[in-house]
Each structure stands twice: as C-alpha cells, then as structure tokens.
C-alpha cells in the first residue's frame, strides 16, 4: 500500500522570501529522491489561477473582505480536490506556496473577519487536511516591503497600509505559537542560504516517518 505523501506549506508576509525558498527547497527535496508537486495559492489550477488574477487585480479595489475570503476558499477547494489530495494519496509530497493559514492571517488578522467564519469555511472546503509542516518566514514588515518594492506595480493587496501587514504578521505568529508542532518559524532576515538551511533542518523529521 502506498503511504500518504507529506504536505509542506510556506507562509509569510510580502517579500518574505517564499518564492526564493521554494526554489531551493525544491532542489533539496528532489535530490533526496522525493516525488514532488509544487503549487501555490491562490492558484495552482486553471480555476485557481483565474481567481488569483481577480483577487490581485488593482482594478478590483471595491472587493469586500467577505468576497475576498470566499474567493480564496474557492481556489483552495479546487486545489485540494484537483491537486493536493490526489497527489498525497499517490505518495507524492506537496510543497505549496501559502495555504489556509494565509486566510487566517490576511482575511482574519488583516481584514478582521472573525476566525470562526474562516474555520467554518476551512472545515467545509478542506475537511481534515492540514499541512504536516508549515514554514513561516517571519520578517519585519518594513524589510519585506522594501524587498518587494522593486518589482513594479503593486497588486490589490500590496497597496494596503503598514498597519494591515503588521496585523497579518501578528496573526501568523499567533498561529505558529498555538501550533508549535506543525509550524517552524524561520528568521527571514537571514541570507537566502541561511533560510534554506533552516528549512531543510525543519524537514528532517518528515523523512522515514510512516504516514
Ligand atoms: N492571500 C490572501 O490574502 N489570503 C489567502 O488565503 C491566500 C493569499 C492564499 C498573493 O500571494 C497574495 O494573496 C498575498 C497574500 C494573499 N498578498 N500579499 N501581499 P503571493 O504569495 O503570490 O505574493 P506575495 O506574498 O506578495 O509574495 P511575494 O511578495 O512574491 O514574496 P515572496 O515570494 O515571499 O518573496 P521572494 O519573491 O522570494 O523575494 C522577494 C525579494 O526579496 C526578491 O527580490 C528576492 O531576491 C529577495 N529575497 C528573498 N529572500 C531574501 C533573503 N533571505 N535576503 C535578502 N533578500 C531576499
């Protein structure tokens, strides 16, 4: 019988270095012989990528918090059914750039949507699926924003004020503190090599453990 693969998610604020880490961690896991699927949220499926275009579109500035949250979960419900659950069931590992913790941080912490509402949507669209490991790249807001600043036009979420991103960061940290066995908080102000080394260290316990 094929044992379930491992599910790893990357989280953090703007410019924290998730994409940079994803590339390095991908190389490492492939070198370990892991059969790996890379994906992201919002996105990862044709439907999810269409949702991503809408939620990041600066022209959608009138989007209310509830619509934003529901769109994130529409993308997620599709991604779980079309990609993540089948891959894990086939024994593949899944490395996902953001997952449900982002909704708690951005729509919960950032926008003020009550946590119970997010939990209801999580139960409905994700069921019992949770990551085996969540790497939280933690960085002062100003540092992350400075890193992201050189990338051209800001998307609809990136134009939010610093106070919004401070609430997002606090919500992420609170989630990590509440679930220390799932989260590994990584100091994202380290060099890219330092961040990767910390992430590799955090994945060690996933190898060889029966699913
Ligand atoms: N969102 C939401 O609201 N609710 C949800 O449920 C979900 C998402 C799932 C899209 O996310 C948006 O959707 C996001 C949250 C929201 N909005 N915001 N803001 P995304 O993940 O696609 O976009 P992002 O958060 O804006 O990621 P990013 O800004 O692209 O950052 P990153 O991937 O974490 O960083 P990076 O591209 O690897 O690095 C940024 C720059 O820093 C780049 O020049 C690097 O070369 C540099 N860098 C990276 N690492 C380092 C280190 N260690 N030192 C120095 N410089 C570094």
């Amino acid at each position: 019988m094929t044992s379930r693969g491992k599910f790893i998610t990357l989280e953090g604020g703007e410019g924290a270095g998730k994409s940079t880490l994803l590339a390095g961690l991908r190389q490492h896991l492939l070198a370990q012989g892991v059969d790996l699927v890379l994906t992201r949220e919002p996105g990862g499926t044709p439907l999810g990528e269409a949702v991503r275009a809408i939620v990041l579109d600066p022209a959608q500035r009138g989007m209310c918090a509830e619509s934003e949250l529901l769109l994130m979960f529409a993308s997620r419900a599709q991604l779980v059914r079309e990609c993540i659950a089948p891959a894990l069931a086939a024994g593949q590992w899944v490395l996902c750039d953001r997952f449900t913790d982002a909704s708690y941080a951005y729509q919960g912490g950032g926008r003020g949507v009550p946590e119970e509402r997010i939990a209801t949507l999580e139960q409905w669209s994700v069921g019992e699926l949770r990551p085996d490991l969540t790497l939280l790249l933690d960085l002062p807001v100003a540092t992350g924003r400075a890193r992201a600043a050189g990338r051209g036009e800001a998307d609809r979420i990136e134009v939010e004020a610093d106070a919004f991103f401070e609430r997002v960061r606090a919500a992420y940290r609170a989630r990590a503190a509440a679930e220390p066995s799932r989260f590994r908080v990584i100091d994202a102000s380290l060099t890219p090599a330092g961040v990767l080394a910390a992430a590799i260290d955090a994945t060690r316990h996933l190898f060889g453990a029966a699913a």
Side-chain angles (χ1 to χ4, degrees), residues 2 5 61 80 121 124 132 149 151 201:
T2 309
R61 64 183 67 82
V80 166
L121 288 173
W124 191 41
D132 297 293
R151 285 188 309 200
D201 184 60

Side-chain angles (χ1 to χ4, degrees), residues 13-20 41-42 52 56 72 76 97-99 102-103 106-107 147-148 151 157-158 165 188 190-192 195:
E14 192 190 358
K18 291 178 291 85
S19 309
T20 304
E41 281 204 345
R52 181 182 183 90
L56 298 183
M72 296 299 177
R76 184 165 299 131
D97 190 343
R98 299 195 187 278
F99 194 59
S103 294
Y106 282 81
Q107 284 67 52
R147 283 185 189 173
R151 285 188 309 200
I157 297 176
E158 287 169 345
F165 291 103
L190 296 171
T191 62
V195 170

Side-chain angles (χ1 to χ4, degrees), residues 7-190:
F7 182 25
I8 304 171
T9 57
L10 304 188
E11 299 283 357
E14 192 190 358
K18 291 178 291 85
S19 309
T20 304
L21 174 60
L22 197 84
L25 197 53
R26 170 182 177 276
Q27 288 287 99
H28 169 76
L29 293 173
L30 290 176
Q32 303 304 305
V34 170
D35 184 2
L36 188 66
V37 173
L38 291 187
T39 191
R40 67 172 179 179
E41 281 204 345
T45 65
L47 183 144
E49 291 297 325
V51 168
R52 181 182 183 90
I54 294 170
V55 297
L56 298 183
D57 182 359
Q60 298 288 349
R61 64 183 67 82
M63 188 182 298
C64 66
E66 289 76 11
S67 297
E68 188 179 77
L69 178 67
L70 290 165
L71 284 166
M72 296 299 177
F73 271 99
S75 172
R76 184 165 299 131
Q78 192 69 28
L79 185 67
V80 166
R81 285 156 185 78
E82 197 174 317
C83 169
I84 297 176
L88 294 175
Q92 294 180 293
W93 289 32
V94 176
L95 181 54
C96 189
D97 190 343
R98 299 195 187 278
F99 194 59
T100 314
D101 293 301
S103 294
Y104 284 100
Y106 282 81
Q107 284 67 52
R111 306 267 189 234
V113 175
E115 195 176 314
E116 317 79 69
R117 263 182 224 170
I118 302 174
T120 300
L121 288 173
E122 180 179 26
Q123 183 57 40
W124 191 41
S125 52
V126 174
E128 301 306 318
L129 177 66
R130 299 290 179 274
D132 297 293
L133 172 67
T134 297
L135 301 171
L136 172 58
L137 301 191
D138 184 55
L139 189 69
V141 169
T143 312
R145 300 202 89 175
R147 283 185 189 173
R151 285 188 309 200
E153 195 195 353
D155 66 39
R156 190 186 57 83
I157 297 176
E158 287 169 345
V159 298
E160 290 294 336
D162 284 352
F164 172 87
F165 291 103
E166 293 291 359
R167 293 195 298 276
V168 168
R169 185 183 186 202
Y172 266 135
R173 288 161 65 109
R175 288 187 70 71
E179 264 189 273
S181 61
R182 173 165 70 89
F183 275 89
R184 175 73 74 93
V185 182
I186 295 177
D187 176 359
S189 66
L190 296 171

